[in-house]
Each structure stands twice: as C-alpha cells, then as structure tokens.
Amino acid sequence: MTRQARDGTFALMFMVMLTIAAGNTALQSVLPALGRSLGVRDAEVALAFSVSALFWVLAAPFWAHRSHRHGRRAMILLGLGGYATSLVLCGLFLAAAINGWIGGTAAFLLFIVGRVIYGTTGAAAPPAVQALVAGSTTREERTRALTLLASAFGLGTILGPALAPYLILGHIGPVAIGLAGPAFVFALFGLAMLVAVWRRLPDDRSDDTSHGAANAYPSIGGQSSGASVTAAIAPEGGARIGARDPRIRWWLFVGLVMGHAQAMTGQVIGFLVIDRLGVSPVDALGATGLVLMTGAGASLLAQWGMIPLLDLRPRALVLVGLALAAAGCWATGHATTLPAIATGYALASLGFGFIRPGFTAGSSLAVDASLQASVAGKVTSISGASFVLGPSIGIALYGAGHALPYDAAAIACTAMLPLGWRALRE
C-alpha cells in the first residue's frame, strides 16, 4: 500500500470512529428533553442509556477476537450497519410518539430495542478499525497512529452534543420530526460512512496478524483512556492477571469509582439544565449542548495539553484529578445559572480527564510487559461498565434531590483521596 493510500485509509477510519461517537453522544444529549417532552419518567430515559452500554460491554470483547477471522472490512461494515439501523429505528419510534401515534412509554421501550441493536453490533467496528490501521503502519508508527485514532472518540463527544441542537427538524409533509432529527441525520452520516468503506476498502481476511482490542462504550464524558491502544499493540495470548491482584486492584478500584461518578453526573446534566434554568425541554437543548461541549473540551484539554505539559506521574494525576472532580461536582450540583453550571461541569470534567489516564497508566506500570494486554482489557471493561449502572444510579439520586448525584460524586471523589494517598503504588 502506498503512503497516499495509507493516509486515505487512516482518514476514512478516523471518520468512522468520529461518526460513531458523535452520533451516540448527540442522541444521549437530546434524550432528557425527549423524555420530558413525551411525559416519560426520567428512570426510563436512564434505562435506555444503561441497556445499550450493557450490550456494548458484553459484545466488544467478542468482536475484538473475530476481526482477524472474518476480515476487518466485514466487521466495520457490520458495526456501521448496526449503528445506522439502530438510529433509523430509534428515530422512527421517537417520531411516532412525537406525532401521537404511540405513547411515550411505548416509544421508549421500542427505542431500547433499537439501542440493543447498536450496543450489540456497533461494538464490532472499533477493534476492526484499530486492526486495519495497525496492519498498515510500521512498528514505530503504530502507537502514534492508534492514539490519534482513539482521539476521534473524544472529538465525537464534543461534536455530537454541539451539533444536536441544530438538527432539530420541522415537518416532512404532515409528519413532525422535531427532537428525533439528530437520530435521522446521524443515521445518514453512518450510511455515508458505510458506503465509503464498502467502496474503498478491499476484502482483507487473513492478510496479517495485527489485531484490535475492545473499546469502551462511547458516551458523554467517556473519553478514551488509552487502554484499548495498549491492548491492540500488546501480543495476543499473553499471561493473565486477576482484578484483585494487589499490584493493580487499588488502581482499578479508583477507576471504577471515578467512572461511576462521571457517568452519574454526565447523564443527568440535561435534566439539571432543564430544571435549574426553568425552561422548556426544547429551549434547554442549546444550553445542554454548551455544557456538554464545555465538559468534553475540558477533559480533552487535560489529556492533550495539561498532562504532557505538567508531566505528572500516575499517582499525582489521580490525586489532583480527584480534588478537581470533587470541587467541580459540588459546584455543578449547586449552580443556578448557565455559566455556573458550565463552569462547574468543566472543572469536574477536567478532574476526570486527569484521573482516567492516571489510573490507566498506573495499572499498566504496575506490571511487566507480558501482562499489558490483560491489564488493558480490565481497564477498558471498567471504563465501559461504569456507564451500565452509573446513569440509573444518577437518575435515582436526582429524583430524590437535584443536587444529590453531584454531592454523591463529590463525596466519593473526596473519600478516594486518602485511599489513593496510602494505597496507590507505582
């Protein structure tokens, strides 16, 4: 493959990853407004998040081990096909409720079915994309290329919520589209990517031994930890390590607590904006998108700018991140204006942006080379599993008091500080 062909393939794979992340987070950003507009309970909205994340976590390792056997192109097409199909179905179910053809609860139950399709098949694309890029780069180029590829997920978490408010459509004939618009528009993006992959990528079954790795669920606030890149570079079939191994257990525990704190606070932010600003669900979309975009930008600022500049060790990253996240969560929960909510959420996201690579690197540095793939797999599982129960826990706390999810997250991060000081070892 020529250099120009490799660059073109990488650009296409970057857009595939970006599209998947942006479409998923765009839909997540409008779901609180959709739920409130259709009279659906907040808990049912959280269930839609959780079910999709659960199936992704279960399916991701399955597809990661089959990308080489069935061909990377076939797996990418499967992932994009599931992504587009899911969004079309979700859009149709939501539009049916918007037009009064079915009730809001029925629409969300059908919506969950569509999300199951995404969670089950969408996870096939990222490991295949990784394997394709790894197979077309030299050993020296591979880490940089895969890291840049992983950044597409982070960029998607910014672009999705930022674009969603502008994709609220009007009527097509007598049919109102409204808040279902982002689902249909990103389904078209997914179909465009599917056609591009089908036309430009040849069948690549068994042409090399490079492999991909399971990726964490692309969610609001769920920027890449880098663990998937480590697993994709490490040799397959290496030694295994248990999650309770004393070398890594406290790193993983901090990551698990941090992940749930981030999932709780991120998934209820749309409801908080609606209730604190006292505006209609539709009018709150722009403000919600601004808050989510600010948070995602702060997290990426930490990972791309501040961490390389400060050159902190993993333990210091975790401790600094926990302090920032605790302060930011408390500030968000008690904010009453849009600037205050956005500032508090950005501070919390900045802290989470320090913690995620901190606990990932700490876990990695705690073991030798033969265990890197096993540790990276556990880090990825924890990052994804946090978005299975985290949203439902956050919604349950929010129902009892609007500040409670943020207070609980602040308390959890504060409680982790003395534990991290004593237990984390590099």
Side-chain angles (χ1 to χ4, degrees):
M1 187 183 291
T2 65
R3 178 79 180 185
Q4 184 177 5
R6 284 202 306 270
D7 290 345
T9 298
F10 180 84
L12 179 60
M13 295 300 97
F14 187 93
M15 288 304 300
V16 167
M17 299 282 271
L18 179 67
T19 299
I20 291 174
N24 199 49
T25 53
L27 195 58
Q28 290 175 25
S29 70
V30 301
L31 274 185
L34 266 165
R36 291 287 179 87
S37 298
L38 298 176
V40 175
R41 292 182 302 170
D42 294 351
E44 294 175 20
V45 177
L47 186 63
F49 292 133
S50 298
V51 170
S52 178
L54 173 62
F55 277 85
W56 180 287
V57 169
L58 295 175
F62 175 85
W63 295 121
H65 289 110
R66 281 158 180 77
S67 64
H68 178 65
R69 183 186 308 172
H70 299 292
R72 289 62 179 267
R73 179 177 180 269
M75 291 294 98
I76 296 169
L77 291 174
L78 173 65
L80 286 171
Y83 166 85
T85 301
S86 169
L87 285 175
V88 169
L89 290 175
C90 290
L92 289 173
F93 299 145
L94 295 173
I98 290 170
N99 286 275
W101 301 333
I102 59 176
T105 298
F108 261 79
L109 290 175
L110 292 170
F111 178 88
I112 290 172
V113 174
R115 297 297 291 165
V116 168
I117 295 173
Y118 170 73
T120 303
T121 59
V129 168
Q130 281 184 330
L132 189 67
V133 170
S136 63
T137 54
T138 65
R139 199 171 188 82
E140 293 73 23
E141 297 171 330
R142 193 161 298 165
T143 300
R144 180 177 176 274
L146 291 179
T147 301
L148 182 58
L149 188 69
S151 70
F153 262 34
L155 287 175
T157 63
I158 294 178
L159 291 177
L163 292 175
Y166 301 100
L167 303 179
I168 309 305
L169 305 180
H171 287 71
I172 297 180
V175 179
I177 304 299
L179 290 168
F184 289 121
V185 172
F186 277 100
L188 291 176
F189 290 158
L191 288 173
M193 288 294 101
L194 188 147
V195 171
V197 169
W198 179 72
R199 293 186 61 182
R200 294 190 56 181
L201 292 185
D203 188 4
D204 61 347
R205 235 170 298 187
S206 302
D207 63 343
D208 63 61
T209 58
S210 59
H211 63 278
N215 277 243
Y217 181 68
S219 184
I220 291 171
Q223 278 77 28
S224 173
S225 64
S228 183
V229 174
T230 301
I233 295 171
E236 288 189 295
R240 304 192 67 80
I241 185 173
R244 296 183 180 180
D245 188 288
R247 289 171 290 179
I248 63 171
R249 64 185 176 192
W250 293 117
W251 291 105
L252 296 182
F253 182 70
V254 168
L256 185 65
V257 173
M258 178 279 301
H260 278 82
Q262 189 174 27
M264 287 193 309
T265 55
Q267 300 297 354
V268 300
I269 193 69
F271 297 112
L272 184 75
V273 170
I274 294 171
D275 294 329
R276 287 286 167 82
L277 300 185
V279 296
S280 70
V282 175
D283 291 338
L285 278 177
T288 301
L290 175 64
V291 172
L292 292 174
M293 185 171 58
T294 303
S299 184
L300 290 179
L301 173 65
Q303 295 187 21
W304 291 0
M306 297 183 70
I307 291 175
L309 179 66
L310 298 175
D311 195 24
L312 297 176
R313 299 288 296 173
R315 180 171 175 268
L317 284 174
V318 169
L319 295 176
V320 170
L322 286 170
L324 291 174
C329 287
W330 186 89
T332 305
H334 296 271
T336 57
T337 65
L338 178 59
I341 293 173
T343 301
Y345 191 71
L347 182 60
S349 299
L350 183 68
F352 293 133
F354 276 103
I355 300 169
R356 190 176 296 276
F359 95 87
T360 301
S363 303
S364 176
L365 293 173
V367 299
D368 59 32
S370 65
L371 294 170
Q372 290 301 312
S374 181
V375 168
K378 287 173 174 56
V379 169
T380 300
S381 296
I382 283 176
S383 298
S386 299
F387 290 91
V388 174
L389 292 178
S392 295
I393 295 172
I395 290 295
L397 291 172
Y398 189 80
H402 293 172
L404 279 180
Y406 298 93
D407 289 343
I411 291 170
C413 290
T414 302
M416 287 293 102
L417 278 169
L419 175 66
W421 184 271
R422 294 195 311 268
L424 296 184
R425 295 288 180 269
E426 297 176 359

